[in-house]
Amino acid sequence: QQQQQHQKQQNQQINNNIDNKNRALLQSQASSGSHSGSVVDESVPTLQPLLLHACDLERARGFLSKQKSKVSVDVGKAAMFRLLCIALLKEVGIVLDTLLMPYWISSGTLLGFYRQCDFIDYSNDVDIGMFIEDFDDGMVEAFQQVGLHLTHRFGVVEDGFELSFTKTFTKKEIHTLVQSHKQKQEQHKGHRPIVTGESIDTLENKDIDVINLDLIEGDVDLKLDVFFFYKEKDNVNDKDEIVWNGGTQARTGNKYKYTFPSFSLCWTRFFSLTVRIPCNTEEYLKANYGSEWMIPVKSWDWKKSPPNVKPNGQWPADSWHRTVQCDVCKHKINPDEPFHL
């Protein structure tokens, strides 16, 4: 009971921090003459107006009409995965907004948004990106407090930093989540579509009636990958900037580097979520997935498949206690090891 009360107090504090931040933002807009719908996050100087981008339902329908046989045919599984991803990103957003750590949806999560206006259920995880200069050491502990447990920790803040977390949804939580969305679906029946052609809640609760709660035998884990991005000058053209994130193979300690064109961040609406994305989304995706990003690929080797990946050396064996930590690694997660060199 004491633990539940402590968790409740922490959640309330997070909500209060968000409310205070939103009020301050609105007051700032009012004093500067900004008009509603054009929210600018001062922590990201290049951030564009709120809802500048939106999911392209026409492109999504075209994709599904051509590639439906290559995506999941289990609509119940897809609907469940969608609800869990949305719930996870809502918790992630609350924590990172509280810490003033701007992030964007990245990798497979961004691909699903841009290509099919949905999550890619066979990806089995959620991906976000963040500039390394925005990292706060309190992030891991804050995630732990809302049930996101650190499972992988690669690199250090100065080089190739990457974190992965796992959120465990209990059977009871899943039942409550599904029932809540079914109630929302009933409430929104008969509502007229919005500009995009369908209401946000209609899309979010798509196929929810197909979910069979009796088939859920236990807890469900969902992984969150957090990729940290670094900025540096382009060696080919000193006037240009490139952005990259790192990857580490747990078994060998081999390092990999994924290079992207420079980008700024824009806001978008993804179901009931308001999230950031790279403004030049298609260019970002082409860098990561190639020119045929519209074609689903279920067999993907993160070390070889991306066209923007290159080997980037190897972590020295005597650094693995800090640079190569995971639940199944030789060196387990050690909260006492500093994130910095």
Side-chain angles (χ1 to χ4, degrees), residues 26-300:
L26 290 173
Q27 290 171 358
S28 174
Q29 290 174 335
S31 62
S32 64
S34 300
H35 38 87
S36 61
S38 183
V39 178
V40 177
D41 188 336
E42 295 297 335
S43 62
V44 185
T46 53
L47 198 64
Q48 302 300 314
L50 181 66
L51 303 184
L52 179 65
H53 290 263
C55 171
D56 188 333
L57 286 171
E58 184 177 351
R59 177 170 53 231
R61 293 190 187 101
F63 165 78
L64 290 173
S65 68
K66 294 179 180 179
Q67 307 291 347
K68 192 171 185 179
S69 62
K70 295 183 180 180
V71 297
S72 176
V73 294
D74 188 340
V75 293
K77 177 186 175 184
M80 173 65 72
F81 185 70
R82 182 183 307 118
L83 295 189
L84 295 183
C85 288
I86 291 170
L88 176 63
L89 279 173
K90 284 181 178 178
E91 289 192 337
V92 167
I94 290 174
V95 171
L96 296 183
D97 285 348
T98 302
L99 295 173
L100 300 179
M101 296 175 63
Y103 68 97
W104 62 91
I105 56 172
S106 185
S107 303
T109 303
L110 180 66
L111 176 63
F113 159 80
Y114 195 72
R115 185 177 69 185
Q116 59 211 69
C117 297
D118 205 348
F119 295 93
I120 302 174
D121 64 301
Y122 55 82
S123 68
N124 297 318
D125 62 11
V126 173
D127 304 306
I128 65 171
M130 188 180 304
F131 290 117
I132 192 63
E133 58 264 30
D134 294 319
F135 175 67
D136 186 311
D137 287 6
M139 168 186 163
V140 173
E141 183 179 354
F143 271 179
Q144 300 267 53
Q145 291 174 358
V146 296
L148 277 157
H149 300 288
L150 185 64
T151 56
H152 295 74
R153 173 184 158 180
F154 297 137
V156 286
V157 169
E158 291 79 6
D159 182 18
F161 198 42
E162 177 187 352
L163 300 174
S164 293
F165 300 82
T166 295
K167 169 73 175 181
T168 299
F169 292 89
T170 65
K171 184 176 181 179
K172 182 178 180 181
E173 287 174 331
I174 295 172
H175 278 243
T176 301
L177 185 64
V178 172
Q179 293 301 332
S180 172
H181 278 266
K182 285 186 176 181
Q183 290 175 4
K184 289 181 181 178
Q185 187 182 47
E186 287 295 321
Q187 293 171 1
H188 288 84
K189 277 186 176 179
H191 283 204
R192 292 187 61 81
I194 57 176
V195 176
T196 54
E198 296 183 57
S199 73
I200 291 171
D201 288 280
T202 298
L203 292 170
E204 183 165 303
N205 298 313
K206 181 182 177 183
D207 300 321
I208 195 170
D209 291 331
V210 184
I211 297 176
N212 188 347
L213 292 173
D214 294 332
L215 297 179
I216 302 174
E217 299 180 353
D219 300 344
V220 176
D221 290 338
L222 183 58
K223 184 185 177 191
L224 171 73
D225 287 328
V226 185
F227 302 108
F228 291 91
F229 285 67
Y230 300 75
K231 302 172 185 177
E232 64 182 37
K233 283 187 176 181
D234 189 339
N235 291 331
V236 178
N237 186 346
D238 288 339
K239 293 183 180 180
D240 292 338
E241 181 184 68
I242 60 171
V243 180
W244 65 275
N245 74 282
T248 296
Q249 186 178 28
R251 181 176 57 84
T252 64
N254 288 340
K255 299 164 61 179
Y256 298 87
K257 185 175 183 178
Y258 303 81
T259 305
F260 295 82
S262 181
F263 59 88
S264 55
L265 297 175
C266 292
W267 287 106
T268 191
R269 188 76 166 177
F270 190 15
F271 297 116
S272 58
L273 302 165
T274 303
V275 294
R276 299 176 185 88
I277 59 173
C279 295
N280 52 338
T281 311
E282 191 164 325
E283 188 179 4
Y284 184 100
L285 290 174
K286 283 181 178 178
N288 209 181
Y289 296 101
S291 59
E292 296 187 342
W293 55 273
M294 282 290 287
I295 301 176
V297 178
K298 292 189 177 183
S299 179
W300 183 262

